[in-house]
Amino acid sequence: MSRLIFVLNGPNLNLLGKREPHIYGSETLADVERDCRALAKELALEIRFHQSNREYELIDWIHEAREVAGGIVINPGAFTHTSVAILDALNAFDPPIMEVHISNVHKREAFRHHSFVSGVASGVIVGCGTLGYQLALRRLAQLLNSAAK
Ligand code: CA2
């Protein structure tokens, strides 16, 4: 099984650390990427880290991941609550998927309580801040390590 992990980020996450720190914290997406890369090294994973405000780009990366990746970490942003297209793309990806939300979506508006992605994810991490990405990578490493035995 490939140890390449795609870390995918949806719309507006490029603003991380620049607006609404009371909800999303003060780390920027570049900080998150740096931390993911450091942890990936420790876990002997390779990562491809992407963010887009466009639904089709996220879908194209999921399709690319089908060919080469052993897992996906995805924070689909607001597409979490709207996108059957992202769900369909993820349904065509066999290895484990971890869904991450920085904020506790269940503590927020009702429209954030439903996720199209959760039903296809191996695990969901919400409300742990940007640490959620690290937790997701650790879980994927554990799943990959146990599959290799
Ligand atoms: O909590 C999360 O990670 C979310 O996926 C973030 C999405 C939101 O639509 C989901 O309901 C929960 C929004 C990402 C927008 O990120 C911003 C960061 C800073 C300033 C403005 C937006």
Side-chain angles (χ1 to χ4, degrees):
M1 184 63 82
S2 165
R3 295 189 71 85
L4 173 62
I5 306 298
F6 275 46
V7 183
L8 302 178
N9 294 279
N12 297 308
L13 285 160
N14 53 311
L15 298 178
L16 212 58
K18 299 173 183 166
R19 297 282 311 270
E20 307 197 73
H22 56 292
I23 302 176
Y24 300 112
S26 55
E27 266 205 304
T28 65
L29 197 62
D31 294 332
V32 175
E33 178 172 1
R34 183 205 57 214
D35 292 348
C36 284
R37 289 197 182 283
L39 181 63
K41 207 168 178 184
E42 197 184 298
L43 298 173
L45 299 173
E46 192 192 329
I47 61 169
R48 288 199 194 149
F49 193 99
H50 297 294
Q51 185 275 331
S52 181
N53 297 323
R54 299 175 182 88
E55 194 173 20
Y56 78 87
E57 275 194 306
L58 293 161
I59 292 166
D60 284 351
W61 286 323
I62 295 165
H63 291 176
E64 196 184 314
R66 288 182 70 227
E67 308 298 322
V68 291
I72 291 177
V73 174
I74 186 164
N75 181 348
F79 290 148
T80 307
H81 319 297
T82 62
S83 182
V84 175
I86 288 177
L87 169 64
D88 287 346
L90 290 171
N91 261 324
F93 181 82
D94 289 332
I97 297 161
M98 291 296 294
E99 177 183 357
V100 172
H101 297 288
I102 298 165
S103 64
N104 180 357
V105 284
H106 301 292
K107 224 174 144 181
R108 301 181 64 191
E109 303 96 322
F111 64 82
R112 296 185 203 274
H113 297 177
H114 175 259
S115 164
F116 280 100
V117 172
S118 297
V120 75
S122 299
V124 182
I125 298 168
V126 303
C128 296
T130 52
L131 179 68
Y133 289 82
Q134 312 272 306
L135 300 173
L137 283 176
R138 284 195 185 277
R139 176 61 176 156
L140 286 181
Q142 187 184 56
L143 292 171
L144 287 172
N145 294 346
S146 54
K149 279 180 191 154

